Structures are given as C-alpha cells and as structure tokens.
C-alpha cells in the first residue's frame, strides 16, 4: 500500500474508534485550509470537463447473492436484473461518440458482478475500446470458482476489490450471510494463480466498518496487509437515509469529487446521481439521452451547486457519506496527478 492509503486507513480506523477525531476535524475547519482546497476543487472540475476524463460506473448486474447489513439491496424496489447486451453496447458506443476518455470503469454498483455470465466478455470489450482505462470490479467473491478465477486473470481486468468485511466466520455470516471459509479459499486461490501467471491484476480487500465488526479491523489488517496490494478500511454510508449506520459522520463536509467526475449508469440504463443513488433519482435513461447531456443536466447542476456552497449537511443523500467527510484530501491527491493519470 502507498503511504496515502495507509494514512487513510489510520484516519478511518481511528475515527471509528473515537481517536484523533477532534484533531482531524479541526484541520478541516480552518478557513485558510478550506480556501486552499476549494481552489483545487474548481481547478480539478475544469480539468476533468476540458479533457472529458470522467470515470464511469456501469452496473452490469443488480442481482446479488449476499445480504449485507450496510447495503440497501435486500429491500431495493428497482428490478434486479443483468444488463442486456444491446444496452451495454449502446453505452460503449455513446462513450466513443461523445469522445469521453474514461480513466476508470467500475463494473459494479449494488449488485454482484459475478452473476453476469457475460462479465469477462464485457471486460475484454471495454479494454479493447478504452485501453488506457482501468477496469475494475467490486465483488464479495463468494461465487468464484477455479474456472472463474482463470477467466478473470485472462480477461484483462486491471483491478478487483473484494468486499470481505470481517476477520471471522461468524461475523462474516452476520454481516453478509455468506460462507467465510469458501470466500477466503477463493481469495487464496486468486492470489496463488495471480502469482503463477504473473498477472498484473491489482487486488484490494475492503472492510466496511460497522457495529457488527467493531474491533476486528486490526486482525483483518494483520492477516491481509502483506498478501494483497491494498487493504481498504471505510465506514458505512446510510444510502440516503435507507440504512441506520449508528455512527453518523461529523466535522466539516467538503464537496464530493465523484459527483463532478463519476458517471453512474444502472443496469436498466438509468443514470444514477452518484454511487449511493441505488434508486435512480435522476429519471433519465441512456437509451434516450446522451451521457454528457444527462451528466450536465439541471438535477446534477443543482446538487453540485449545493456542494460548492458548503450546504452539504442539508442533503439527505449526502450528509452521511464518507465521500464528503475526507476533509478535502481526495481533492488534494487528485490535483497532484496529471489529468490523464487520475
């Protein structure tokens, strides 16, 4: 892990346990610091728009085999489906026609990507069309098999984030409703085959901090930090008030960078406001509207203006999301990179 990634885990883990919180929040409240970050915010927004260097989140599947306590999927009213191939190809065509240069393509939102039988074919299609983009999936990895792991490594996938969220069988089952031992065997098999094939696949293991796994984060870090490329600690979000996270965010909110540069398309073709919008609040569909026309439409503009004014705590969708409680460090890191590299 990089120094920045280690620092982020330190802050998130300690904030969850009540340590360092006062100092961290105090820095974010300093007017001179906020002024610096906001200058970088505006510069970054202009860079992304000028270069069309957006990231995309394409939800290939809204079907899931897990029942995570911090996810709205079990009660989601939107139809659970695999994206049909005509819609997928339309999205690819629109990206090309609109001269969008995606930096990152996430094939995930609130479903399990391994439920999509066309997943690896679609990864190859995206890598052919957008060779400079990083293609990533986030998965609970419980459905992996030796065959799936071989296909995954051969597909050209750049990054995989595996959501494990526990350091023991009972807590894993309580949080996700899945078989911990089977998932760990799948992860170990992936790491073994990655080494054997000399695959460049970047592997992240994530741990969503919640009441059920409180105190397990250190064991989790010790177990995996030297075996995978990155261990990611992050606090739960409330999905716009849908989930009771019991540990609300505090401090000074800053604009969410994803709201300005990540384009979310759900499995039915509807645009999501952000990765937390599992309902499809925009009510606009890629079948009828170009990607950039939708992304720069009035609903997006209005909520971005609220973020830039600093009124984020008034927004039900945003006020309990880690995306706005990073004290602007996400903008600092993003501005340190060239537009083509973020």
């Amino acid at each position: 892990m990089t120094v920045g990634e280690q620092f982020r885990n330190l802050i998130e883990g300690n904030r969850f346990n009540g340590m360092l919180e006062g100092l961290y929040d105090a820095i974010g409240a300093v007017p001179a610091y906020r002024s610096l970050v906001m200058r970088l915010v505006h510069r970054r927004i202009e860079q992304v728009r000028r270069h069309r260097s957006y990231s995309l989140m394409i939800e290939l599947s809204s079907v899931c085999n897990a029942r995570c306590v911090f996810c709205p999927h079990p009660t989601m009213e939107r139809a659970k489906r695999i994206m049909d191939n005509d819609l997928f190809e339309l999205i690819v065509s629109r990206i090309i026609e609109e001269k969008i240069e995606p930096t990152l393509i996430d094939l995930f939102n609130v479903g399990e990507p391994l439920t999509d039988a066309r997943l690896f074919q679609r990864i190859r299609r995206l890598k052919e069309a957008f060779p400079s983009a990083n293609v990533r999936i986030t998965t609970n990895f419980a459905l992996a098999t030796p065959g799936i792991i071989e296909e995954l490594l051969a597909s050209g996938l750049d990054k995989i984030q595996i959501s494990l969220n526990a350091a023991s069988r009972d807590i894993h089952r309580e949080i996700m409703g899945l078989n911990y031992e089977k998932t760990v065997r799948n992860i170990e098999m992936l790491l073994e085959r990655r080494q054997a094939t000399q695959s460049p696949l970047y592997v992240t293991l994530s741990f969503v901090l919640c009441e059920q796994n409180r105190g397990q984060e250190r064991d989790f870090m010790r177990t995996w930090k030297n075996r995978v490329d990155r261990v990611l600690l992050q606090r739960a979000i409330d999905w716009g008030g849908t989930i009771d996270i019991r540990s609300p965010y505090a401090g000074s909110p800053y604009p969410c960078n994803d709201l300005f540069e990540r384009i979310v398309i759900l499995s039915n073709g509807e645009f999501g406001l952000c990765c937390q919008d599992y309902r499809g609040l925009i009510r606009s569909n890629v079948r009828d509207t170009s990607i950039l026309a939708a992304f720069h439409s009035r609903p997006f503009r209005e909520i971005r203006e609220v973020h830039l004014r600093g009124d984020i705590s008034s927004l039900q969708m945003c006020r309990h999301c880690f995306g706005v409680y990073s004290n602007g460090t996400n903008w600092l890191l993003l501005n340190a990179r060239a537009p083509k590299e973020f």
Side-chain angles (χ1 to χ4, degrees):
M1 293 192 295
T2 66
V3 173
E5 291 166 350
Q6 293 179 47
F7 177 74
R8 184 190 184 284
N9 283 343
L10 174 67
I11 292 297
E12 284 300 306
N14 284 327
R15 280 170 67 89
F16 183 75
N17 288 307
M19 298 169 59
L20 300 180
E21 188 166 1
L23 176 60
Y24 187 69
D25 291 341
I27 293 172
V30 173
Y33 175 80
R34 175 172 286 275
S35 177
L36 167 65
V37 171
M38 291 308 297
R39 286 198 300 272
L40 296 177
V41 166
H42 289 287
R43 186 174 78 181
R44 169 75 177 186
I45 291 170
E46 176 56 30
Q47 282 180 339
V48 171
R49 187 159 188 163
R50 184 171 64 250
H51 292 276
R52 301 191 180 190
S53 301
Y54 298 96
S55 66
L56 288 107
M57 175 174 273
I58 304 172
E59 184 190 67
L60 296 183
S61 172
S62 53
V63 177
C64 192
N65 58 313
R67 53 177 190 276
C68 298
V69 297
F70 45 72
C71 179
H73 186 273
T75 59
M76 184 174 72
E77 296 180 0
R78 178 165 57 91
K80 299 175 176 72
R81 56 180 288 173
I82 308 295
M83 181 180 285
D84 65 71
N85 213 47
D86 288 344
L87 175 57
F88 174 76
E89 287 297 334
L90 173 63
I91 293 168
V92 174
S93 297
R94 285 203 185 278
I95 296 170
I96 295 170
E97 291 166 2
E98 297 182 49
K99 295 181 172 57
I100 297 170
E101 298 187 20
T103 56
L104 173 67
I105 304 176
D106 268 312
L107 302 179
F108 167 79
N109 191 14
V110 292
E112 167 53 52
L114 294 184
T115 60
D116 178 13
R118 293 191 178 101
L119 174 63
F120 303 112
Q121 171 188 332
R122 289 170 167 180
I123 292 170
R124 286 190 288 271
R125 173 78 172 97
L126 291 169
K127 290 302 297 181
E128 290 169 0
F130 313 107
S132 64
N134 279 308
V135 178
R136 178 174 67 183
I137 64 170
T138 297
T139 169
N140 59 57
F141 218 52
L143 296 177
T145 64
I148 284 175
I149 288 171
E150 294 302 325
E151 284 195 79
L152 187 153
L153 292 168
S155 67
L157 184 71
D158 296 289
K159 298 181 178 182
I160 184 170
Q161 181 166 308
I162 300 173
S163 185
L164 189 57
N165 304 313
S168 67
R169 177 187 62 188
D170 292 342
I171 298 301
H172 184 262
R173 183 173 293 279
E174 181 181 357
I175 292 174
M176 304 182 72
L178 298 173
N179 186 314
Y180 178 75
E181 288 88 352
K182 182 179 186 298
T183 302
V184 169
R185 285 197 301 270
N186 290 341
I187 296 169
E188 290 172 342
M189 188 187 313
L190 172 66
L191 296 175
E192 290 168 5
R193 292 302 300 153
R194 180 180 70 156
Q195 182 175 1
T197 59
Q198 297 185 324
S199 167
L201 178 69
Y202 189 92
V203 179
T204 296
L205 252 59
S206 67
F207 185 102
V208 176
L209 296 152
C210 57
E211 291 297 321
Q212 290 83 351
N213 60 21
R214 181 185 287 271
Q216 287 206 331
E217 59 269 24
R218 288 181 175 82
D219 286 342
F220 189 86
M221 288 286 294
R222 279 194 296 267
T223 300
W224 294 106
K225 67 179 181 179
N226 295 322
R227 303 182 65 189
V228 297
D229 297 296
R230 183 186 186 191
V231 174
L232 174 65
L233 302 182
Q234 61 186 46
R235 286 186 292 170
I237 57 177
D238 74 345
W239 295 89
T242 302
I243 303 294
D244 180 9
I245 59 175
R246 302 186 188 179
S247 180
Y249 288 83
S252 302
Y254 281 76
C256 175
N257 62 290
D258 276 0
L259 185 61
F260 294 86
E261 59 187 77
R262 174 183 263 184
I263 300 167
V264 179
I265 305 175
L266 304 178
S267 57
N268 59 7
E270 291 188 356
F271 291 95
L273 179 67
C274 63
C275 61
Q276 200 181 165
D277 177 17
Y278 67 95
R279 300 180 183 92
L281 296 175
I282 299 300
R283 300 302 178 213
S284 181
N285 198 294
V286 72
R287 291 186 177 93
D288 311 311
T289 310
S290 73
I291 292 174
L292 292 181
F295 195 62
H296 296 299
S297 62
R298 182 175 178 179
F300 281 100
R301 293 200 307 271
E302 288 179 347
I303 196 167
R304 288 172 188 143
E305 287 169 4
V306 174
H307 273 240
L308 293 174
R309 288 200 307 269
D311 298 333
I312 302 167
S313 59
S314 67
L315 297 172
Q316 178 70 35
M317 179 62 69
C318 307
R319 64 188 180 191
H320 290 150
C321 177
F322 57 76
V324 300
Y325 288 98
S326 63
N327 276 353
T329 53
N330 48 344
W331 295 98
L332 294 173
L333 292 171
L334 290 169
N335 272 275
R337 306 172 191 171
K340 298 296 183 182
E341 295 176 343
F342 52 71

